[in-house]
Amino acid sequence: MTGRLAAVPEPGVRVRAPAKVNLALRVGSVRPDGFHPLATVFQALDMFEEVTARPAPPGAGISLTVTGSQAERVPTDRTNLAWRAAAALARRVGVDPDVRLRIVKGVPVAGGMAGGSADAAAALVACDALWETALSRAELLDLAADLGSDVPFPLVGHTAIGTGRGHILTPAMVRGQFHWALAVSHTGLSTPDVFREFDAAAGGERGAEGERGAGGERGAGGSGAGPTEASTDALHVDPGLMKALRAGDAGALGRALRNDLEPAALALRPELGRTLALAREAGALGAIVSGSGPTVAALARSARHARAIAAHWTAADACDAAYCAAGPAPGARVVG
């Protein structure tokens, strides 16, 4: 008897890395090197970027394809963070960078949720496994920090305190799960412009975060106050926020959310104020601009409540798209 032979699966490594929201972001005055000192709290969400790395013929170099939501807005050349991650890993371990990368988008583009940084983190893990380079997690984190301030966190995931440029991570104790509604705009908000506005309010000059990120791939998020102290040592995360995380107290967490960049984002995009107000009108425990914007994240009482907030935004035409997510979620990991 004859029959059709089953197709042999193409070898490759598939890795999933999470989006993030910043529960708190304190931003100091610009330093002489052009960066701002930060104290931030990241939480990974169960919205994922997926990167598959497959071998390419010798000498072929790196190639990249992107599918999924808003894929047309993502570069597929060497300016892409995943491409840069693969090239950096190849240089570090001394292998030829022959790999085909495929990204499946699951995180809004240019929304302050670190989708591009998640791609880079996933590419590091995928290429490390594909090339059997066996780098330690510390070595991968070092490579990630060189790629951008936001890239280390998707490697770690869960919830963590970030200091320095946001790249020095300390795990945070968290009990339970937190539910979020996310209002997304398809028109991005420029990180350099947000920092320029922030520095103008502080009477300083624009920093360099537009190049390397600051507490977020495109900035960082929270809700609350304006410019803060210049010294990293002077910046601190509200102890009440950390206590709320340890207790799993969503109400207390909602009251403690803070983002020093939010006034600057609102100055540039005043309509985000309506999105924040609608979230609170729908009973959100807290609402924040994620990163330097324009995504707004609202903390909900439950998954059902998150869906209700998202529906309230949609009915009021307050966003281009609304999503629901939960955190904390795991960091970059091989899934196939």
Side-chain angles (χ1 to χ4, degrees):
M1 183 175 66
T2 61
R4 298 180 62 185
L5 294 175
V8 177
E10 189 175 17
V13 179
R14 184 163 53 97
V15 174
R16 193 172 288 161
K20 63 84 181 169
V21 65
N22 292 73
L23 309 180
L25 174 66
R26 306 300 311 281
V27 182
S29 299
V30 64
R31 304 182 313 204
D33 65 0
F35 290 96
H36 294 73
L38 303 176
T40 187
V41 180
F42 297 107
Q43 183 163 96
L45 303 180
D46 60 357
M47 299 174 67
F48 298 100
E49 296 286 280
E50 200 167 271
V51 175
T52 301
R54 293 190 171 94
I62 300 169
S63 63
L64 176 65
T65 59
V66 183
T67 61
S69 177
Q70 301 178 293
E72 70 282 355
R73 298 180 61 191
V74 180
T76 56
D77 58 16
R78 65 185 64 252
T79 64
N80 187 289
L81 267 177
W83 181 307
R84 290 168 53 196
L89 177 62
R91 286 194 301 270
R92 173 68 66 92
V93 299
V95 303
D96 293 327
D98 299 323
V99 63
R100 290 182 291 152
L101 299 174
R102 178 173 180 262
I103 297 173
V104 180
K105 297 293 298 178
V107 178
V109 176
M113 298 177 66
S117 294
D119 291 337
L124 286 175
V125 173
C127 290
D128 177 64
L130 181 71
W131 295 332
E132 298 180 338
T133 53
L135 290 188
S136 68
R137 183 51 60 104
E139 289 172 308
L140 289 176
L141 284 169
D142 183 55
L143 275 172
D146 286 341
L147 290 165
S149 302
D150 249 10
V151 181
F153 178 69
L155 277 172
V156 175
H158 301 285
T159 304
I161 300 168
T163 54
R165 290 182 284 107
H167 67 296
I168 303 170
L169 301 173
T170 304
M173 293 180 61
V174 178
R175 179 181 179 185
Q177 190 176 53
F178 297 92
H179 298 276
W180 298 88
L182 303 155
V184 173
S185 170
H186 292 163
T187 303
L189 189 56
S190 164
T191 297
D193 287 348
V194 173
F195 272 95
R196 185 180 296 113
E197 185 71 24
F198 175 88
D199 289 331
E205 298 180 357
R206 184 170 73 93
E209 277 76 8
E211 299 297 324
R212 294 286 297 277
E217 176 195 25
R218 300 291 182 188
S223 78
T228 56
E229 304 93 341
S231 167
T232 301
D233 294 336
L235 299 173
H236 66 276
V237 174
D238 179 5
L241 184 145
M242 304 310 299
K243 181 179 179 181
L245 287 171
R246 290 192 299 270
D249 186 339
L253 179 61
R255 293 189 294 273
L257 298 175
R258 174 174 182 146
N259 176 14
D260 287 352
L261 288 181
E262 187 171 284
L266 291 174
L268 296 172
R269 293 282 290 273
E271 65 271 22
L272 296 179
R274 176 172 177 260
T275 309
L276 290 165
L278 285 167
R280 296 175 183 122
E281 183 180 286
L285 301 174
I288 58 176
V289 172
S290 178
S292 54
T295 298
V296 169
L299 183 60
R301 296 186 300 271
S302 63
R304 181 177 180 179
H305 185 211
R307 292 192 294 270
I309 296 170
H312 192 59
W313 278 329
T314 302
D317 196 25
C319 58
D320 292 321
Y323 299 85
C324 297
R333 65 199 190 282
V334 175
V335 294

